[in-house]
Amino acid sequence: MATLIQATEVSKVYHKTTVPVNALNGVTLRIEEGEFTAIVGPSGCGKTTLLNILGGLDHPTQGKVEIDGTDITTMKDSDLIDFRLHTIGFVFQAYNLIPVLTAKENIEFIMLLQKKSKKEREIRAIELLTRMGMVDKANQRPGELSGGQQQRVAVARALASNPRFILADEPTANLDSTSASNLLDLMAEINREQKATFVFSTHDQRVMDKARRLVTLRDGAIISDITR
Amino acid sequence: MYFLLAWRNIWRNKRRSLITILSITFAVLLACVMRSMQLGSYARMIDNSVRFYTGYIQIHKQGYWNDKVIDNSFEYDALLQKKVSHLQGLKLDVPRLESFALASFQSQTKGTLVMGVDPDKENELTRVKEKIVQGTFIKSDDDGILLAQGLAEYLNAQVGDTLTLISQGYHGANAAGLFPVRGIARFPLPFQNNQLIYMALPKAQWFYAAPGLVTSVSLLINKPDNTDRVVAQLKSEIDAKVYEVMGWKELVPDLLQSIELDNISGKVMLWVLYLVIGFGMFGTYLMMTAERKYEFGVMMAVGMQRLRLQAVIFLEISMMTTVGVLTGIILSLPILTYFHFHPIHYGKEAAKAIESFGVEAVYPFSLDPVIFTNQAYAIFIMAIVLSAYPLWTIYKMNPVESMRS
């Protein structure tokens, strides 16, 4: 399979007041197309930082990240935003749907940013909501949905832009076990059927069990990389 | 959808948005009422002042304004009358021949200001008939005079008595004549009440040996705001070397100064009001930005360009401002309209004091559209300036840090 993400010698140093904190220490990681990878480790090990850097949300202090051969660490801010819009789908821990838009509008919103036509947006949004088993909730706002339902909409939103891969930061952290299990099954299904690439950060054992590849971080460095 | 997003965002915190909108509404309402009262009173002051004597515009022979002597009179001939009559918005032209004379009755003598006028036109401009306290006003072919009350009292003259007037006429000619008193009028301003004599224009021209001559032509126009335009038009059409044309601002500079001074104090009050409202608006924007930092970060993370996010926020602010401003204008309209057509009348004592200065004792409201547009501009400019804070915050925003906040 083709290499989708290539992180080489990535380091990240945060300066909290005057004390430098090494969040990542020379991480090198390659992710192929169609992978279902979990980045795991204890709190503060650098999972979210790595995910942010892989997603172009943050810049590494050293090293580089290539997505489909494009070095995103040297990109201008506005180019990076466009790159994210067309290449990466995000699922956040706290769902992060736009509270004033309905489930369907939240999904459409990403496609609106991509300047897709109204008709195209509507068809795709309904298709994704159907896929998530949420079509009957299309016109409800996030506040009217449960955590699990909101996260399904968030996954649908991440898929709406037809991204090259999806980054999910602790997607099940706020969900009860049933909702978490359902969500993971759904994502695994999408991964199998559509060959969509998923990269998670998690310390949830249920996510780790579902992942086919486990990358373990400790103190900002990869200590194990197991493919099952 | 951006419009929808902005509109729904306004109502996600209904109470705060309503407070902001209402504060804008009341600011606009209050500002409209304040400005309407001020502009209404200025218009009335100007109207009172010009109707008192000067008119909105005056034509003189070049140099008359600085040297008011009868030798600086001119012929108001048919050609000039035609040019004046073609002026846009002209309501009335009032020719006058003014000079001084010594008035004598029995053992009393006093210096007076004689005004030769067209009685009908003069009355239309200055409403002099309303000031008559005894007798009648003069007629156009009258050989009698109308006396100011203070002057009549000084001379001990009554209606029916005959005064002797002595003066120097045009180019040094002797001027002397006997003039029966037709009426006595009370003028509010002492300088007028103690020395004014009205005389029919032909009789005054005869008296001063100035046939066909006038010292000024006062013009009344439909819209006082057009004074400068009409002055410019007139200046372009007549020989500026022969005639001088002056608008009311030049004719009564004291009035203009007092209006400007009062206007400044009114504007200061308005800006204080805007400042208070501005702080309220800024508080809302500050809270809105702080509360939604996380959300802004997410939107940028998923691919929304800063400029687009800024546009949505600006749209929210504009919508809130528009609703507030429009509501303020809509609420102020019936109030201003009512008081425009039913001006506030002063109480008896205050009315007396005001009327003694020759000013009507009413407080009219103006409906000048500029009252509404200026408040709208001021609030919108303020909103634009204050929106700089959320827009700048978005410009400087780091999505990761925002999502971590």
Side-chain angles (χ1 to χ4, degrees):
Chain A
M1 276 202 237
T3 301
L4 182 61
I5 305 168
Q6 174 68 59
T8 311
E9 289 295 320
V10 171
S11 296
K12 178 72 183 177
V13 181
Y14 288 115
H15 292 274
K16 285 187 177 168
T17 61
T18 52
V19 184
V21 176
N22 293 311
L24 292 175
N25 290 312
V27 171
T28 296
L29 177 70
R30 194 173 68 200
I31 293 170
E32 312 280 339
E33 261 184 281
E35 278 193 16
F36 200 67
T37 301
I39 297 168
V40 302
S43 287
C45 69
K47 301 187 296 288
T48 301
T49 304
L50 179 59
L51 227 62
N52 285 341
I53 289 173
L54 296 183
L57 289 173
D58 206 353
H59 292 281
T61 313
Q62 272 186 339
K64 67 174 181 179
V65 175
E66 288 169 300
I67 312 279
D68 271 339
T70 306
D71 184 357
I72 64 167
T73 49
T74 55
M75 271 187 181
K76 275 198 314 188
D77 180 65
S78 59
D79 294 339
L80 206 49
I81 292 175
D82 262 346
F83 185 81
R84 286 200 297 265
L85 175 64
H86 294 283
T87 315
I88 310 168
F90 288 93
V91 179
F92 301 97
Q93 183 179 332
Y95 330 130
N96 297 331
L97 300 172
I98 300 169
V100 293
L101 299 182
T102 63
K104 179 167 159 274
E105 286 165 348
N106 261 288
I107 298 166
E108 279 189 57
F109 182 71
I110 294 292
M111 294 182 276
L112 176 78
L113 296 177
Q114 290 181 315
K115 297 185 176 122
K116 287 187 177 161
S117 71
K118 195 173 189 310
K119 197 177 170 187
E120 201 179 346
R121 293 196 314 250
E122 279 187 359
I123 291 170
R124 177 86 173 131
I126 294 295
E127 179 192 316
L128 284 164
L129 282 167
T130 309
R131 181 76 187 81
M132 301 292 153
M134 293 282 297
V135 74
D136 56 326
K137 308 283 183 194
N139 293 319
Q140 294 193 342
R141 293 196 189 180
E144 299 162 340
L145 300 174
S146 69
Q149 288 170 332
Q150 285 188 56
Q151 201 60 308
R152 279 164 180 259
V153 177
V155 173
R157 181 180 68 178
L159 290 167
S161 60
N162 283 319
R164 296 284 288 127
F165 64 98
I166 292 159
L167 291 176
D169 185 15
E170 309 260 9
T172 57
N174 289 348
L175 302 182
D176 60 74
S177 58
T178 314
S179 301
S181 176
N182 289 342
L183 184 75
L184 287 168
D185 288 343
L186 183 69
M187 290 198 287
E189 206 176 294
I190 292 166
N191 170 255
R192 270 197 312 276
E193 288 174 5
Q194 298 177 13
K195 303 290 174 217
T197 309
F198 279 86
V199 182
F200 309 95
S201 72
T202 187
H203 53 250
D204 184 340
Q205 191 56 49
R206 294 164 303 188
V207 181
M208 295 182 210
D209 293 344
K210 297 271 181 190
R212 289 202 297 278
R213 181 180 172 193
L214 274 182
V215 177
T216 309
L217 284 181
R218 182 174 294 162
D219 297 331
I222 295 173
I223 56 164
S224 77
D225 188 349
I226 304 161
T227 304
R228 297 185 288 206
Chain B
M1 194 187 275
Y2 294 127
F3 190 84
L4 186 76
L5 183 65
W7 180 249
R8 286 187 190 164
N9 271 330
I10 292 173
W11 301 112
R12 65 199 284 182
N13 192 332
K14 283 196 188 93
R15 197 177 297 174
R16 193 176 61 209
S17 296
L18 272 176
I19 288 170
T20 308
I21 288 169
L22 283 177
S23 66
I24 294 172
T25 297
F26 282 111
V28 170
L29 178 66
L30 207 59
C32 283
V33 170
M34 277 167 66
R35 285 308 281 169
S36 174
M37 285 174 80
Q38 262 191 317
L39 295 189
S41 70
Y42 297 158
R44 189 58 65 104
M45 277 163 75
I46 295 164
D47 191 63
N48 273 298
S49 175
V50 302
R51 282 184 173 276
F52 221 62
Y53 175 59
T54 61
Y56 287 106
I57 298 163
Q58 278 194 8
I59 307 168
H60 316 122
K61 184 183 176 183
Q62 189 57 259
Y64 174 78
W65 195 247
N66 291 327
D67 187 14
K68 292 187 187 75
V69 294
I70 197 160
D71 286 349
N72 277 336
S73 53
F74 65 99
E75 196 177 346
Y76 190 38
D77 57 21
L79 184 65
L80 186 56
Q81 283 182 43
K82 193 180 168 190
K83 283 177 179 169
V84 167
S85 67
H86 282 103
L87 288 172
Q88 270 186 344
L90 179 80
K91 262 170 91 174
L92 186 68
D93 59 326
V94 184
R96 289 179 183 140
L97 180 67
E98 295 171 47
S99 191
F100 290 92
L102 206 59
S104 174
F105 180 66
Q106 293 176 343
S107 59
Q108 294 291 91
T109 304
K110 196 173 191 303
T112 63
L113 170 64
V114 175
M115 279 178 63
V117 297
D118 176 322
D120 293 333
K121 287 184 171 183
E122 186 67 27
N123 183 56
E124 210 173 320
L125 175 67
T126 62
R127 296 170 189 137
V128 64
K129 277 184 185 173
E130 293 170 12
K131 299 178 179 94
I132 292 175
V133 291
Q134 212 184 320
T136 57
F137 192 41
I138 49 172
K139 296 183 178 70
S140 55
D141 57 351
D142 214 320
D143 54 6
I145 53 173
L146 178 87
L147 274 188
Q149 193 182 31
L151 178 61
E153 283 170 3
Y154 182 85
L155 296 173
N156 290 320
Q158 303 287 327
V159 173
D161 291 338
T162 299
L163 262 59
T164 306
L165 297 182
I166 300 167
S167 185
Q168 181 179 300
Y170 188 62
H171 284 175
N174 281 327
L178 297 173
F179 298 90
V181 178
R182 303 285 184 221
I184 294 171
R186 190 176 70 81
F187 294 93
L189 292 183
F191 90 90
Q192 286 183 316
N193 205 41
N194 293 336
Q195 62 175 356
L196 201 56
I197 294 175
Y198 275 106
M199 190 184 285
L201 183 59
K203 193 69 184 174
Q205 288 168 335
W206 167 82
F207 176 61
Y208 286 110
L213 298 182
V214 295
T215 50
S216 69
V217 179
S218 294
L219 306 181
L220 193 63
I221 55 174
N222 284 330
K223 292 182 180 170
D225 289 347
N226 289 345
T227 301
D228 292 343
R229 191 184 54 73
V230 176
V231 166
Q233 186 192 346
L234 197 53
K235 277 182 176 171
S236 70
E237 288 178 12
I238 62 175
D239 189 347
K241 285 180 187 158
V242 179
Y243 303 105
E244 65 187 6
V245 182
M246 298 170 79
W248 69 267
K249 290 175 190 170
E250 287 177 277
L251 294 168
V252 273
D254 295 353
L255 176 67
L256 183 67
Q257 275 174 10
S258 68
I259 286 176
E260 280 175 350
L261 202 68
D262 189 73
N263 200 20
I264 288 168
S265 69
K267 282 182 176 171
V268 168
M269 286 295 291
L270 273 186
W271 282 110
V272 170
L273 179 70
Y274 290 147
L275 201 68
V276 172
I277 299 305
F279 276 113
M281 287 164 73
F282 187 64
T284 302
Y285 302 160
L286 203 75
M287 290 295 289
M288 178 184 88
T289 310
E291 274 176 14
R292 288 162 61 190
K293 245 182 186 172
Y294 188 90
E295 184 183 316
F296 293 161
V298 171
M299 285 169 131
M300 281 165 60
V302 298
M304 191 171 195
Q305 289 285 1
R306 289 173 203 275
L307 195 62
R308 207 166 283 182
L309 184 54
Q310 286 169 326
V312 172
I313 300 305
F314 188 71
L315 203 57
E316 274 179 43
I317 289 171
S318 303
M319 280 176 175
M320 233 172 357
T321 310
T322 306
V323 171
V325 167
L326 284 182
T327 315
I329 289 173
I330 289 166
L331 286 178
S332 66
L333 258 174
I335 299 170
L336 303 197
T337 309
Y338 178 81
F339 285 113
H340 177 75
F341 292 108
H342 305 90
I344 297 168
H345 289 263
Y346 286 89
K348 275 183 185 171
E349 290 305 312
K352 255 187 191 173
I354 289 165
E355 278 168 352
S356 70
F357 290 101
V359 179
E360 285 176 88
V362 290
Y363 218 129
F365 281 50
S366 170
L367 280 179
D368 192 334
V370 83
I371 292 165
F372 307 104
T373 52
N374 278 358
Q375 311 326 312
Y377 291 148
I379 300 276
F380 272 114
I381 288 169
M382 201 159 64
I384 289 168
V385 170
L386 295 175
S387 70
Y389 174 74
L391 301 188
W392 176 252
T393 307
I394 293 167
Y395 177 72
K396 298 296 286 178
M397 186 171 277
N398 177 323
V400 173
E401 283 173 12
S402 302
M403 287 193 289
R404 205 180 283 147
S405 65

